[in-house]
Amino acid sequence: MDAKAAVEGVEVSTLHWIGGERVPSGDAFADVSPIDETVIAEVARGGRADAARAVAAARAAFPGWAATPPETRARLLRAVADRVDAEVERLAAVETRDNGSLLRSHRRSVMPRVAQNFRFFAGWLGELGGGGLEISGHREQVSWAPSGVTAVITPWNAPLMLATWRIAPTLAAGNTVVAKPPEWAPLTASLLADITRDAGLPDGVFNVVQGLGGQAGAALVAHPDLARVAFTGSARTGRLVAAAAGAQLTPVSLELGGKSPLLVFADADLDLAVTHAVGQYDNAGQVCLAGTRLLIEEPIAGEFTARFLERAAGLRQGDPRDEATDIGPAITREHLDRVDGFVRRAVAAGARVLLGGAVNPALGGLYYQPTLLAGAAAGSEILTEEVFGPVLTIQAFTGEDEAVALANSTRYGLAATMFTGDEGRAERVSARLRAGTVWVNCFFVRDLRAPFGGAGLSGIGREGGTWSFDFYADVKNTVYAPKGWRPNG
């Protein structure tokens, strides 16, 4: 296999990054761009031996990195952030080609957020403080000690941003990392390896093993020398990850799927609510946080639907490299068929198609039309299971109790979005919603200091700010007796 691929004019290594070296495999897998379904790279297909080699390299590098003063770790992570900033255009071009997300979004927000992840957690190291505790005159000091090697396994819908959301805090905590990027969009992880090298991270502190989830990923999460496993992906795969890590009693952080509601009360700013509702088609609906279940209060349901359909009809679907494009393709043929299967089964069960409902006839390929379904039966698959595509449903409700009952009628609990002009209602309803994050009259806004995670099938644990260090580090409490200090004897 060729060791490099040229993607949008950017040279990308297709080999693993282990112990500060590029490492080949005996086999490769094809990386297919969803834009036109062409093969853009042949990537090293890792397995058990590659995963073991990467964990060994990370374990060997751990004592030195753990002993590195926090201010030095922070300086190196800021250097990574600076290099990401300098590489935004290249990273954006490669990731757009690799996973079909909008180039304009990668340039303006996604890749800058990658840099922010490193910069934020580098800075948060200096904010950790565990003093001031006291009991019966005894002083207690809380500290966060590096725990060991962390496996980070990430999805394809925002591969670099979601990877660094985990990689940055675990490196800041003093751990070493083995990352397994998604086989459907692996290339920016390879570019990140180059960036960490150029920023001066010691060999073995950051490693990348490429390959299929059932091979490289499965071997990695089951390795007995891991201290932590961080996984972002589907609930089905999350169960497998938890079982494999659980056999070693390795702590896991699982960020899984969502089936989030978007509630609109009759007293809401209707234009604002419609704008955000149409915005749920972002990234072709391949967003775990998306409010895919539109729940509209009865008095405004008709007007909301009419406005929504008018606005959504103006969305432009096409090549994500075009600045004018609003919606790109699904990630793979397999995933497109899965999304279409959900829609077909929903229609067969009685749902009505108000918008879309099929592959875009003008584009073909992997371009699935923005879709809105109405009339689905309560408890049906389309209302309870994650589609992960540009498919929304709409239901009407009467009053707060029914709104909450509909919102909480799935096994997921990642997020919820609500629009209302009544502050008291906002507080009452948000308190009753089963969700890790609730947005009121806004969407997709979060301070990195705040906790992030979900309930139910949406995952285990919380990350962000100190919550991240609580997971990636071994939290220690040291208790000092209230006696004076004196030499022995």
Side-chain angles (χ1 to χ4, degrees), residues 164-195:
T164 56
W165 161 240
R166 260 65 186 280
I167 291 166
T170 195
L171 290 176
N175 295 350
T176 52
V177 173
V178 178
K180 208 296 280 183
E183 57 262 35
W184 288 350
L187 298 181
T188 48
S190 182
L191 293 177
L192 180 63
D194 295 337
I195 286 172

Side-chain angles (χ1 to χ4, degrees), residues 192-214:
L192 180 63
D194 295 337
I195 286 172
T196 61
R197 175 201 63 207
D198 295 343
L201 259 65
D203 294 346
V205 169
F206 178 68
N207 307 272
V208 177
V209 174
Q210 301 170 127
L212 308 185

Side-chain angles (χ1 to χ4, degrees), residues 259-261 263 293 295 383-384 400-416 429-435 438:
K259 190 69 176 176
S260 300
L263 301 90
R293 295 182 294 131
L295 308 178
L383 297 178
T384 57
E400 293 179 11
D401 288 344
E402 186 178 11
V404 171
L406 289 172
N408 291 343
S409 62
T410 78
R411 296 177 295 167
Y412 293 94
L414 187 57
V429 173
S430 62
R432 297 171 64 190
L433 294 175
R434 188 176 186 233
V438 178

